[in-house]
Amino acid sequence: MEVINTLGRRKTSVARVYMKNGTGSVTVNGRDFKEYFPTMPLQYRVRQPFMITETEGKYDVNVNVHGGGITGQIEAIRLGVSRALVEVDAEWKAKLRAEGLMTRDPRMVERKKYGQPKARKKFQFSKR
């Protein structure tokens, strides 16, 4: 199996995922994912697509991710890994979609408008 290249996005985070057959190592920006994401809930989200498809320990994943915060980066990685697994076996798509892992979350930060301090907040109004 050659290297499978996919992309995952969430908010302003972009994750480029490179997956190939291997021993199950996951590298994020040149570091082990357990070092990059130190807490268990974050690590669970990275492993979730593999757990659903019962393929833990079968693929080596190398991820380059930038932009956004920790949560956005995790969700982007999870989407990229899910897309890569679907390229390996299309039958996994139904399982992953049922768990909500195949959907690109379109919600983005609303832009700030002029004449206001934030996107929706208004400056204090004084009648007199």
Side-chain angles (χ1 to χ4, degrees):
M1 174 180 137
E2 73 286 347
V3 176
I4 293 174
N5 180 13
T6 57
L7 189 74
R9 289 193 182 104
R10 172 74 168 95
K11 292 187 174 182
T12 57
S13 300
V14 179
R16 289 176 181 83
V17 177
Y18 304 94
M19 192 171 81
K20 62 182 178 181
N21 283 330
T23 60
S25 69
V26 179
T27 309
V28 179
N29 290 349
R31 301 190 320 202
D32 185 54
F33 84 103
K34 291 181 179 176
E35 182 187 331
Y36 197 84
F37 302 114
T39 63
M40 289 305 288
L42 297 176
Q43 293 172 17
Y44 171 77
R45 286 202 211 157
V46 173
R47 292 195 315 263
Q48 193 176 4
F50 296 113
M51 293 164 66
I52 291 168
T53 57
E54 299 164 8
T55 55
E56 274 190 294
K58 291 185 179 178
Y59 300 105
D60 286 344
V61 179
N62 186 16
V63 181
N64 295 328
V65 64
H66 64 87
I70 295 290
T71 305
Q73 289 187 353
I74 279 284
E75 300 288 331
I77 291 169
R78 190 168 73 167
L79 178 62
V81 169
S82 298
R83 286 178 172 174
L85 286 169
V86 167
E87 280 193 32
V88 172
D89 188 354
E91 292 179 10
W92 290 334
K93 188 170 187 173
K95 279 185 182 178
L96 293 167
R97 184 171 293 286
E99 295 291 326
L101 300 187
M102 292 302 298
T103 306
R104 158 63 160 108
D105 193 343
R107 295 177 294 174
M108 300 289 278
V109 176
E110 191 174 338
R111 78 182 257 325
K112 181 198 173 297
K113 282 76 169 190
Y114 59 88
Q116 299 174 196
K118 291 166 67 175
R120 303 234 173 156
K121 189 176 183 181
K122 307 288 190 282
F123 288 117
Q124 186 172 357
F125 175 73
S126 173
K127 201 167 208 174
R128 286 177 196 85

